PDB file of all heavy atoms in Angstrom:
ATOM      1  N   VAL A1136      13.587  -5.630  -3.119  1.00  0.00           N
ATOM      2  CA  VAL A1136      12.451  -6.025  -3.822  1.00  0.00           C
ATOM      3  C   VAL A1136      12.772  -6.050  -5.381  1.00  0.00           C
ATOM      4  O   VAL A1136      13.531  -5.350  -5.798  1.00  0.00           O
ATOM      5  CB  VAL A1136      11.286  -4.980  -3.679  1.00  0.00           C
ATOM      6  CG1 VAL A1136      10.134  -5.286  -4.638  1.00  0.00           C
ATOM      7  CG2 VAL A1136      10.755  -4.902  -2.212  1.00  0.00           C
ATOM      8  N   ARG A1137      12.357  -7.189  -5.867  1.00  0.00           N
ATOM      9  CA  ARG A1137      12.553  -7.379  -7.348  1.00  0.00           C
ATOM     10  C   ARG A1137      11.141  -7.344  -8.049  1.00  0.00           C
ATOM     11  O   ARG A1137      10.147  -8.044  -7.693  1.00  0.00           O
ATOM     12  CB  ARG A1137      13.227  -8.681  -7.572  1.00  0.00           C
ATOM     13  CG  ARG A1137      14.619  -8.717  -7.235  1.00  0.00           C
ATOM     14  CD  ARG A1137      15.249 -10.070  -7.807  1.00  0.00           C
ATOM     15  NE  ARG A1137      16.733 -10.096  -7.551  1.00  0.00           N
ATOM     16  CZ  ARG A1137      17.488 -11.041  -8.038  1.00  0.00           C
ATOM     17  NH1 ARG A1137      16.896 -12.202  -8.457  1.00  0.00           N
ATOM     18  NH2 ARG A1137      18.866 -11.046  -7.925  1.00  0.00           N
ATOM     19  N   VAL A1138      10.942  -6.362  -8.978  1.00  0.00           N
ATOM     20  CA  VAL A1138       9.701  -6.204  -9.635  1.00  0.00           C
ATOM     21  C   VAL A1138       9.917  -6.614 -11.198  1.00  0.00           C
ATOM     22  O   VAL A1138      10.919  -6.073 -11.775  1.00  0.00           O
ATOM     23  CB  VAL A1138       9.278  -4.773  -9.596  1.00  0.00           C
ATOM     24  CG1 VAL A1138       7.924  -4.600 -10.293  1.00  0.00           C
ATOM     25  CG2 VAL A1138       9.147  -4.356  -8.065  1.00  0.00           C
ATOM     26  N   SER A1139       9.142  -7.474 -11.587  1.00  0.00           N
ATOM     27  CA  SER A1139       9.111  -7.873 -13.069  1.00  0.00           C
ATOM     28  C   SER A1139       8.763  -6.769 -14.006  1.00  0.00           C
ATOM     29  O   SER A1139       7.778  -6.059 -13.675  1.00  0.00           O
ATOM     30  CB  SER A1139       8.364  -9.109 -13.233  1.00  0.00           C
ATOM     31  OG  SER A1139       8.291  -9.476 -14.586  1.00  0.00           O
ATOM     32  N   GLY A1140       9.333  -6.645 -15.100  1.00  0.00           N
ATOM     33  CA  GLY A1140       8.925  -5.621 -16.025  1.00  0.00           C
ATOM     34  C   GLY A1140       7.645  -5.895 -16.682  1.00  0.00           C
ATOM     35  O   GLY A1140       6.946  -5.014 -17.353  1.00  0.00           O
ATOM     36  N   MET A1141       7.038  -7.098 -16.474  1.00  0.00           N
ATOM     37  CA  MET A1141       5.820  -7.555 -17.091  1.00  0.00           C
ATOM     38  C   MET A1141       4.649  -6.745 -16.369  1.00  0.00           C
ATOM     39  O   MET A1141       3.646  -6.506 -16.980  1.00  0.00           O
ATOM     40  CB  MET A1141       5.525  -8.943 -16.962  1.00  0.00           C
ATOM     41  CG  MET A1141       6.487  -9.797 -17.746  1.00  0.00           C
ATOM     42  SD  MET A1141       6.267 -11.559 -17.529  1.00  0.00           S
ATOM     43  CE  MET A1141       4.551 -11.674 -18.069  1.00  0.00           C
ATOM     44  N   SER A1142       4.898  -6.274 -15.145  1.00  0.00           N
ATOM     45  CA  SER A1142       3.825  -5.707 -14.397  1.00  0.00           C
ATOM     46  C   SER A1142       3.903  -4.151 -14.577  1.00  0.00           C
ATOM     47  O   SER A1142       3.123  -3.400 -13.972  1.00  0.00           O
ATOM     48  CB  SER A1142       4.007  -6.046 -12.881  1.00  0.00           C
ATOM     49  OG  SER A1142       5.227  -5.490 -12.302  1.00  0.00           O
ATOM     50  N   VAL A1143       4.749  -3.633 -15.324  1.00  0.00           N
ATOM     51  CA  VAL A1143       4.934  -2.152 -15.573  1.00  0.00           C
ATOM     52  C   VAL A1143       3.914  -1.625 -16.664  1.00  0.00           C
ATOM     53  O   VAL A1143       4.088  -2.027 -17.760  1.00  0.00           O
ATOM     54  CB  VAL A1143       6.425  -1.733 -15.858  1.00  0.00           C
ATOM     55  CG1 VAL A1143       6.456  -0.274 -16.028  1.00  0.00           C
ATOM     56  CG2 VAL A1143       7.315  -2.189 -14.792  1.00  0.00           C
ATOM     57  N   PRO A1144       2.961  -0.772 -16.212  1.00  0.00           N
ATOM     58  CA  PRO A1144       2.113  -0.282 -17.268  1.00  0.00           C
ATOM     59  C   PRO A1144       2.856   0.877 -17.904  1.00  0.00           C
ATOM     60  O   PRO A1144       3.673   1.543 -17.478  1.00  0.00           O
ATOM     61  CB  PRO A1144       0.900   0.253 -16.427  1.00  0.00           C
ATOM     62  CG  PRO A1144       1.507   0.641 -15.104  1.00  0.00           C
ATOM     63  CD  PRO A1144       2.662  -0.357 -14.859  1.00  0.00           C
ATOM     64  N   PHE A1145       2.320   1.167 -19.238  1.00  0.00           N
ATOM     65  CA  PHE A1145       2.836   2.199 -20.082  1.00  0.00           C
ATOM     66  C   PHE A1145       1.970   3.445 -20.044  1.00  0.00           C
ATOM     67  O   PHE A1145       1.795   4.170 -21.010  1.00  0.00           O
ATOM     68  CB  PHE A1145       3.043   1.741 -21.578  1.00  0.00           C
ATOM     69  CG  PHE A1145       4.205   0.894 -21.831  1.00  0.00           C
ATOM     70  CD1 PHE A1145       4.271  -0.479 -21.536  1.00  0.00           C
ATOM     71  CD2 PHE A1145       5.392   1.588 -22.187  1.00  0.00           C
ATOM     72  CE1 PHE A1145       5.387  -1.202 -21.752  1.00  0.00           C
ATOM     73  CE2 PHE A1145       6.475   0.795 -22.441  1.00  0.00           C
ATOM     74  CZ  PHE A1145       6.510  -0.613 -22.125  1.00  0.00           C
ATOM     75  N   SER A1146       1.506   3.769 -18.853  1.00  0.00           N
ATOM     76  CA  SER A1146       0.656   4.862 -18.638  1.00  0.00           C
ATOM     77  C   SER A1146       0.594   5.244 -17.198  1.00  0.00           C
ATOM     78  O   SER A1146       0.427   4.208 -16.400  1.00  0.00           O
ATOM     79  CB  SER A1146      -0.736   4.673 -19.198  1.00  0.00           C
ATOM     80  OG  SER A1146      -1.491   5.881 -18.813  1.00  0.00           O
ATOM     81  N   GLU A1147       0.762   6.424 -16.710  1.00  0.00           N
ATOM     82  CA  GLU A1147       0.727   6.736 -15.295  1.00  0.00           C
ATOM     83  C   GLU A1147      -0.734   6.591 -14.843  1.00  0.00           C
ATOM     84  O   GLU A1147      -0.920   6.382 -13.594  1.00  0.00           O
ATOM     85  CB  GLU A1147       1.116   8.288 -15.126  1.00  0.00           C
ATOM     86  CG  GLU A1147       1.228   8.616 -13.635  1.00  0.00           C
ATOM     87  CD  GLU A1147       1.762  10.146 -13.553  1.00  0.00           C
ATOM     88  OE1 GLU A1147       2.039  10.675 -14.569  1.00  0.00           O
ATOM     89  OE2 GLU A1147       1.911  10.597 -12.352  1.00  0.00           O
ATOM     90  N   GLU A1148      -1.839   6.604 -15.685  1.00  0.00           N
ATOM     91  CA  GLU A1148      -3.069   6.623 -15.151  1.00  0.00           C
ATOM     92  C   GLU A1148      -3.338   5.110 -14.805  1.00  0.00           C
ATOM     93  O   GLU A1148      -4.257   4.812 -13.916  1.00  0.00           O
ATOM     94  CB  GLU A1148      -4.181   6.947 -16.235  1.00  0.00           C
ATOM     95  CG  GLU A1148      -4.147   8.476 -16.499  1.00  0.00           C
ATOM     96  CD  GLU A1148      -3.031   9.091 -17.214  1.00  0.00           C
ATOM     97  OE1 GLU A1148      -2.346   8.199 -17.880  1.00  0.00           O
ATOM     98  OE2 GLU A1148      -2.904  10.263 -17.128  1.00  0.00           O
ATOM     99  N   GLU A1149      -2.690   4.136 -15.414  1.00  0.00           N
ATOM    100  CA  GLU A1149      -2.875   2.807 -15.043  1.00  0.00           C
ATOM    101  C   GLU A1149      -1.980   2.252 -13.988  1.00  0.00           C
ATOM    102  O   GLU A1149      -2.139   1.016 -13.545  1.00  0.00           O
ATOM    103  CB  GLU A1149      -2.645   1.956 -16.394  1.00  0.00           C
ATOM    104  CG  GLU A1149      -3.476   2.190 -17.576  1.00  0.00           C
ATOM    105  CD  GLU A1149      -3.118   1.392 -18.722  1.00  0.00           C
ATOM    106  OE1 GLU A1149      -2.170   0.629 -18.618  1.00  0.00           O
ATOM    107  OE2 GLU A1149      -3.750   1.526 -19.852  1.00  0.00           O
ATOM    108  N   ALA A1150      -1.077   3.076 -13.411  1.00  0.00           N
ATOM    109  CA  ALA A1150      -0.205   2.614 -12.423  1.00  0.00           C
ATOM    110  C   ALA A1150      -0.889   2.768 -11.016  1.00  0.00           C
ATOM    111  O   ALA A1150      -1.693   3.606 -10.773  1.00  0.00           O
ATOM    112  CB  ALA A1150       1.039   3.507 -12.402  1.00  0.00           C
ATOM    113  N   PHE A1151      -0.681   1.810 -10.202  1.00  0.00           N
ATOM    114  CA  PHE A1151      -1.139   1.762  -8.913  1.00  0.00           C
ATOM    115  C   PHE A1151       0.021   1.745  -7.815  1.00  0.00           C
ATOM    116  O   PHE A1151       1.150   1.357  -8.213  1.00  0.00           O
ATOM    117  CB  PHE A1151      -2.000   0.498  -8.654  1.00  0.00           C
ATOM    118  CG  PHE A1151      -3.320   0.486  -9.359  1.00  0.00           C
ATOM    119  CD1 PHE A1151      -3.250  -0.055 -10.697  1.00  0.00           C
ATOM    120  CD2 PHE A1151      -4.360   1.075  -8.932  1.00  0.00           C
ATOM    121  CE1 PHE A1151      -4.355  -0.193 -11.484  1.00  0.00           C
ATOM    122  CE2 PHE A1151      -5.611   1.007  -9.690  1.00  0.00           C
ATOM    123  CZ  PHE A1151      -5.573   0.537 -10.872  1.00  0.00           C
TER     124      PHE A1151
END
Side-chain angles (χ1 to χ4, degrees):
V1136 172
R1137 285 184 171 181
V1138 181
S1139 173
M1141 298 177 60
S1142 63
V1143 177
F1145 279 85
S1146 172
E1147 186 176 2
E1148 288 75 18
E1149 298 177 1
F1151 293 91

